[in-house]
């Protein structure tokens, strides 16, 4: 239509689709990192749009820690089956056994830092030269530093002081033998953008993102779900609360928020009114040190 201008969601969508097509044109063996969370679900939706009417031309890859929410895993499997995508699952548990790694200890024994080993092994196994991730710059300060095309060395490591310029949306995917590129098509989106897009596109999500009753314990002001993976102490008080999740990581490191938001409109209203980022409010593992995320990324994390 003459004179038509894209609205901001259409602009974000167009940028992401452009990035997906750049990945396909520049890399031989890309993969899309997929967990069953809202951001990776949105990326699958965008990838399908980018390559319609064909199928997504690369596999979905999940590094499974064994501490995932069952709702997210069930949704992951159903979505991959519905769209006839190749789903590759590699388990941190197998890496622990193979490499004789030490299991985390403590109240919340997160395996997040061990995911790096499994991811790097998976990249080597399938010879992936590019892994597409769902990180966004608004989530966390280390992610705000990273380029959309982020080069990792032969050890999977990221150097935040040695990144390529991306002027005029020109992405340089040239790499040396053994190197790998992590690509973030929704890097410029915010949490609110994601939810508005999900509403606009009528994208289905796991039930965990909406208000539901769950047994939780309170730890340092955060509500952590009861599970076999969390070490309950005699001082913990188990409560049933109406909660939802803003982000879905492991049960050992992701807290819920108390909420009665049962539909997209109500969730969006809550997000508009909050002043804390989703990771800042709900991710226990990011609070270990000031640079927890950056340290993990330097060593090869997503």
């Amino acid at each position: 239509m003459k004179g038509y201008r894209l609205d901001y969601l259409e602009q974000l969508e167009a940028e992401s689709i452009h990035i997906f097509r750049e990945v396909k044109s520049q890399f031989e063996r890309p993969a899309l990192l997929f967990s069953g969370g809202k951001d990776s679900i949105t990326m699958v939706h965008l990838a399908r749009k980018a390559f319609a009417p064909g199928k997504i031309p690369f596999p979905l890859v999940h590094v499974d820690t064994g501490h995932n929410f069952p709702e997210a895993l069930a949704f992951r499997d159903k979505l991959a089956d519905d769209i006839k995508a190749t789903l590759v699952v590699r388990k941190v548990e197998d890496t622990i056994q193979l490499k004789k790694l030490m299991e985390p200890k403590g109240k919340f024994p997160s395996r997040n830092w061990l995911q790096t080993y499994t991811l790097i092994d998976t990249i080597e196994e399938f010879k992936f030269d590019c892994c597409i991730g769902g990180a966004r710059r608004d989530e966390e300060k280390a992610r705000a530093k990273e380029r959309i095309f982020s080069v990792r060395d032969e050890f999977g490591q990221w150097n935040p002081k040695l990144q390529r310029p991306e002027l005029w949306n020109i992405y340089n995917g040239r790499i040396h033998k053994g190197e790998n590129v992590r690509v973030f098509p929704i890097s410029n989106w915010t949490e609110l953008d994601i939810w508005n897009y999900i509403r606009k596109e009528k994208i289905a999500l796991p039930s965990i993102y909406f208000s539901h009753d769950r047994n939780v314990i309170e730890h340092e002001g955060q509500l952590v779900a009861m599970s076999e993976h969390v070490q309950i102490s005699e001082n913990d008080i188990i409560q049933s609360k109406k909660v939802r999740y803003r982000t879905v990581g492991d049960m050992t490191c992701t807290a819920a928020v108390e909420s009665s938001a049962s539909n997209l409109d109500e969730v969006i209203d809550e997000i508009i009114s909050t002043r804390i980022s989703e990771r800042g409010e709900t991710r226990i593992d990011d609070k270990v040190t000031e640079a927890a995320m950056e340290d993990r990324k330097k060593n090869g994390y997503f």
Side-chain angles (χ1 to χ4, degrees):
M1 183 184 299
K2 185 177 180 181
Y4 177 75
R5 297 184 65 179
L6 300 179
D7 67 25
Y8 84 101
L9 285 177
E10 291 171 327
Q11 290 177 35
L12 289 171
E13 179 189 72
E15 179 189 53
S16 297
I17 286 174
H18 168 65
I19 292 166
F20 271 113
R21 291 172 177 166
E22 281 293 302
V23 166
K24 185 63 177 68
S25 68
Q26 294 195 44
F27 298 98
E28 295 181 2
R29 298 182 67 86
L32 195 159
L33 301 176
F34 180 68
S35 65
K38 71 180 188 307
D39 295 316
S40 59
I41 291 168
T42 298
M43 287 210 304
V44 168
H45 184 84
L46 290 163
R48 293 181 71 193
K49 279 198 163 189
F51 302 109
K55 291 168 54 178
I56 297 176
F58 35 72
L60 311 182
V61 175
H62 184 209
V63 175
D64 184 353
T65 64
H67 293 169
N68 302 95
F69 287 91
E71 298 95 329
L73 293 182
F75 194 95
R76 175 201 71 184
D77 294 342
K78 184 178 186 306
L79 179 59
D81 184 62
D82 287 347
I83 67 173
K84 303 297 186 290
T86 299
L87 176 63
V88 174
V89 179
R90 289 297 179 266
K91 298 184 176 181
V92 172
E93 179 68 36
D94 294 337
T95 307
I96 291 172
Q97 299 300 324
L98 180 66
K99 296 183 179 293
K100 302 289 190 285
L101 300 175
M102 183 178 294
E103 276 273 21
K105 306 295 183 185
K107 191 175 188 67
F108 306 111
S110 172
R111 288 175 170 173
N112 256 12
W113 69 277
L114 296 177
Q115 287 178 286
T116 299
Y117 294 98
T118 308
L119 176 61
I120 292 174
D121 287 349
T122 304
I123 290 171
E124 177 61 28
E125 177 185 355
F126 291 92
K127 307 302 179 189
F128 294 135
D129 52 0
C130 168
C131 290
I132 308 164
R136 307 188 322 267
R137 289 190 174 120
D138 76 317
E139 290 181 277
E140 203 274 341
K141 57 188 177 183
R143 287 182 164 168
K145 294 180 181 180
E146 197 157 29
R147 300 288 193 267
I148 289 175
F149 273 40
S150 180
V151 179
R152 308 299 175 97
D153 65 20
E154 62 271 27
F155 303 107
Q157 297 174 323
W158 172 60
N159 185 348
K161 296 181 179 179
L162 188 62
Q163 298 190 77
R164 296 172 177 178
E166 292 180 340
L167 307 176
W168 306 292
N169 293 332
I170 296 174
Y171 305 112
N172 179 3
R174 288 177 294 179
I175 53 176
H176 297 104
K177 183 177 175 59
E179 291 181 333
N180 181 268
V181 174
R182 308 287 168 80
V183 172
F184 304 107
I186 59 172
S187 188
N188 290 330
W189 297 51
T190 66
E191 181 188 13
L192 184 57
D193 295 334
I194 292 290
W195 281 102
N196 278 326
Y197 187 73
I198 287 168
R199 179 170 60 181
K200 176 175 180 285
E201 295 290 305
K202 298 180 173 58
I203 300 171
L205 293 177
S207 59
I208 197 170
Y209 282 108
F210 303 98
S211 180
H212 59 282
D213 294 318
R214 189 176 290 266
N215 288 335
V216 297
I217 60 171
E218 187 169 342
H219 175 76
E220 296 181 354
Q222 295 180 307
L223 301 176
V224 184
M226 287 282 295
S227 77
E228 60 184 309
H229 311 300
V230 174
Q231 306 302 312
I232 306 298
S233 70
E234 60 182 18
N235 295 324
D236 288 324
I237 300 174
I238 301 171
Q239 309 172 70
S240 177
K241 287 184 174 290
K242 283 196 173 297
V243 300
R244 69 174 184 86
Y245 286 83
R246 292 179 66 185
T247 179
V248 177
D250 280 3
M251 299 184 79
T252 53
C253 65
T254 308
V257 294
E258 200 161 1
S259 171
S260 60
S262 59
N263 58 56
L264 288 171
D265 290 338
E266 291 172 351
V267 168
I268 289 169
D269 285 344
E270 280 192 357
I271 294 168
I272 290 172
S273 65
T274 188
R275 294 294 179 265
I276 306 174
S277 73
E278 60 202 286
R279 293 192 71 96
E281 184 173 21
T282 66
R283 293 306 288 265
I284 299 169
D285 52 336
D286 286 350
K287 300 178 185 298
V288 176
T289 68
E290 277 291 315
M293 171 63 79
E294 184 161 331
D295 291 340
R296 293 201 302 276
K297 290 178 77 66
K298 286 179 180 178
N299 290 325
Y301 188 69
F302 302 169

